């Protein structure tokens, strides 16, 4: 389906393709593709991992270079926040600080 967002032709024979023409990949094909080694999508941010395609999603969700990786707040409030926001004060910490002032 991702291919159809960009293209309207079959990648194999360039014939016309619609969503109605799509059929599930065979087990053999899925197994073959699942064993392919793929570079992490965060390689440009420093990740050097090369993982099997069937493990890529699991790796990406826990990759230390993924800015959307969920982590516990470093301020100790118990909130779970995206890695990209870890350096910011969390809402609970801001509320606690504003009550003291």
């Amino acid at each position: 389906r991702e291919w159809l967002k960009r293209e309207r032709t079959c990648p194999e024979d360039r014939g016309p393709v619609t969503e109605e023409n799509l059929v599930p990949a065979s087990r053999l094909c899925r197994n073959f593709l699942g064993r392919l080694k793929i570079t992490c999508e965060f390689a440009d941010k420093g990740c050097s991992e090369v993982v099997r395609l069937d493990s890529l999603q699991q790796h990406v969700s826990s990759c230390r270079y993924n800015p959307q990786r969920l982590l516990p707040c470093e301020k100790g409030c118990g909130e779970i926040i995206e890695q990209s926001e870890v350096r910011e004060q969390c809402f609970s910490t801001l509320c606690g600080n504003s009550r003291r002032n």
Side-chain angles (χ1 to χ4, degrees), residues 15 24 26 39 73 78 80 86 96:
S26 69
T39 302
C73 176
I80 303 296
V86 166

Side-chain angles (χ1 to χ4, degrees), residues 3 26-27 33 35 42 44 54 56 58 60 73 85 91:
W3 176 263
S26 69
R27 179 195 276 172
L33 292 173
R35 286 190 218 111
F42 299 109
D44 61 333
D54 58 8
L56 183 61
Q58 180 181 356
V60 165
C73 176
E85 298 174 6
F91 182 74

Side-chain angles (χ1 to χ4, degrees), residues 38-55:
I38 306 292
T39 302
C40 175
E41 65 186 75
F42 299 109
D44 61 333
K45 295 183 182 342
C47 183
S48 60
E49 293 290 320
V50 177
V51 298
R52 286 176 44 149
L53 180 59
D54 58 8
S55 302

Side-chain angles (χ1 to χ4, degrees), residues 84-97:
S84 61
E85 298 174 6
V86 166
R87 293 178 188 218
E88 304 294 324
Q89 289 186 339
C90 69
F91 182 74
S92 299
T93 303
L94 288 173
C95 290
N97 287 343

Side-chain angles (χ1 to χ4, degrees), residues 1 4 8 10 21 25-26 28 39 42-43 48 56 58 64-65 68 70 75 78 84-85 89 95-96:
R1 287 183 176 41
L4 289 177
R8 290 289 178 197
C10 173
N21 299 112
S26 69
L28 178 66
T39 302
F42 299 109
S48 60
L56 183 61
Q58 180 181 356
R64 70 184 208 160
Y65 296 96
Q68 279 82 44
L70 299 177
K75 308 296 182 189
S84 61
E85 298 174 6
Q89 289 186 339
C95 290

Side-chain angles (χ1 to χ4, degrees), residues 1 3-4 7-11 13 15-25:
R1 287 183 176 41
W3 176 263
L4 289 177
E7 303 288 335
R8 290 289 178 197
T9 59
C10 173
D13 65 8
V17 174
T18 64
E19 196 159 335
E20 293 79 35
N21 299 112
L22 297 179
V23 294

